Amino acid sequence: MYANKEYSSSIMDNSGTIRIGDVNYDFPIMMGTESEGAIDLRTLRSKSGYIAFDEGYGNTGSCESSITFINGEKGILRHRGYPIEQLAERSSFLETAYLIMYGQLPNMVTLSAYKRNILSNATLDAKMYPLFEGFHKDSHPMAMLSAIVNSLCTYHSEYATNSRKLDLEHFDAASSILMSKARSIAAMSYRKKMGLPMMESDSNKSYAEDFLHMMFSKQGMPYEDTCGASKALDLFFLLHADHEQNCSTSTVRMVASSGANLFASISAGISALWGPSHGGANMAVIEMLEAIHASGDDGSGFIEAAKSGQAKLMGFGHRVYKNYDPRAKILGKSAVSVLEKIGVNDPLLDIARRLERAALEDDYFIKRKLYPNVDFYSGIILKAIGIPVDFFTVMFALGRIPGWMANWKEIAENPKSRIHRPRQIYIGENERNFIKLEKRK
Ligand code: SDX
């Protein structure tokens, strides 16, 4: 049973008061650089004996971070203060990755050294090749990516000591290895599933171009980017690079908080991203659009199914954005331009546009502030440039790696960082005595 509780919190000399029963408890108010306020409840249990309950953490700040700022009401996304629209228009994935991990835009010298370091690090240790043989032919690429990224701890054990000081000292080397080799692991997983021989990286190509080369080049038939695919893919990676404390990034921080090394922490983030409510949604959007296309429905039937709870409009809705996801706007335009360059009229884009228009005018979606999110259009671009659907979430993961690593680094650099260990409200059986087997009913 809970005591009768009245909550009142007001700003009193920058503190908030929670009243439980007839006792007032004061807590400091924290204010971020974008005037976001938080009640600092780190002493709540020791002062009151109560814990805060916030299933899904929708109202709970797990950390202070200076990497990414989102204003969900206004549809604002910035990385280290730079608006995503400016980065999308003027930056590249590797430059934005550097910004997210190190806090500042690199100058000419730093950027070219960083690019060279990443692009020259793509080759996998030959002892890793048998790992790919061990997977079932129908293995999901996310399972392969998560497992083989984790195995980097054994091939680069000097960077995976689980000693926070040592692993932080080696962050630059370890993060370059991961940024570069994750592409090779993804490409090699694809070629294994297709029964193709491995294709070595070509460090003279750009990050995205080299990935497409490793995926699709054949002996004597090098991959040719005739439709701006590598530019579109670079933009795709950039737009996925970080996104504050989403499910997979929070997972990386949770694992990093125990002192686990970078590769193990990122492998956990890859697994968290896989779910259809998170990064797996980009696959689910294409499957949804293809099902609508195959059914001949113009989309209105599906909208009704979503409103009645029989289906979810995948690629719509967001825990934080209660406005249009700025990344979806940019990806929507990129989808049109990629399809124009290829000279393809993809019926799935028409269906997506119809769904978007219908949903944005429908009270069910308006009332719940459900807008397109990053996954709504991204799959149409990936499909247009030839990425197989079961690799869509792998693409999301490749883009998100710099954000995950920046968050790992924030934990490792913080001397006050503590292991993440939430509490719970126990609703199970009260104490009872063991019953001997022969006496049980
Ligand atoms: C990503 O967090 C991040 O930053 C994630 C991400 C990143 O970059 O890391 O942005 C990437 O994961 C984007 C989201 C991808 N997922 C999807 O597109 C899957 C479809 N979306 C939903 O599953 C849902 O919107 C979530 C999971 C994204 C958000 O879920 P919430 O915040 O828990 O919202 P909710 O489930 O409480 O929904 C509120 C209401 C409910 O209806 P009521 O109970 O009030 O009647 O809205 C409804 C929901 O049923 N609703 C939807 C819907 N999403 C929510 N109804 C139909 N279609 C949807 N897509």
Side-chain angles (χ1 to χ4, degrees), residues 350-364:
D350 301 336
I351 296 173
R353 286 255 188 259
R354 279 205 303 274
L355 285 175
E356 178 186 5
R357 253 195 318 275
L360 294 182
E361 288 157 12
D362 188 298
D363 191 47
Y364 171 92

Side-chain angles (χ1 to χ4, degrees), residues 11-49:
I11 307 284
M12 288 185 310
D13 307 327
N14 223 12
S15 72
T17 299
I18 293 182
R19 181 179 174 75
I20 303 177
D22 53 8
V23 182
N24 283 346
Y25 300 93
D26 291 343
F27 299 96
I29 295 287
M30 300 166 73
M31 199 57 78
T33 46
E34 288 289 341
S35 308
E36 287 172 298
I39 304 171
D40 180 352
L41 292 178
R42 283 174 284 193
T43 57
L44 174 64
R45 191 167 185 275
S46 57
K47 277 184 178 172
S48 73

Side-chain angles (χ1 to χ4, degrees), residues 330-341:
I330 300 167
L331 286 163
K333 287 188 193 124
S334 172
V336 172
S337 93
V338 167
L339 290 173
E340 272 166 9
K341 280 205 186 96

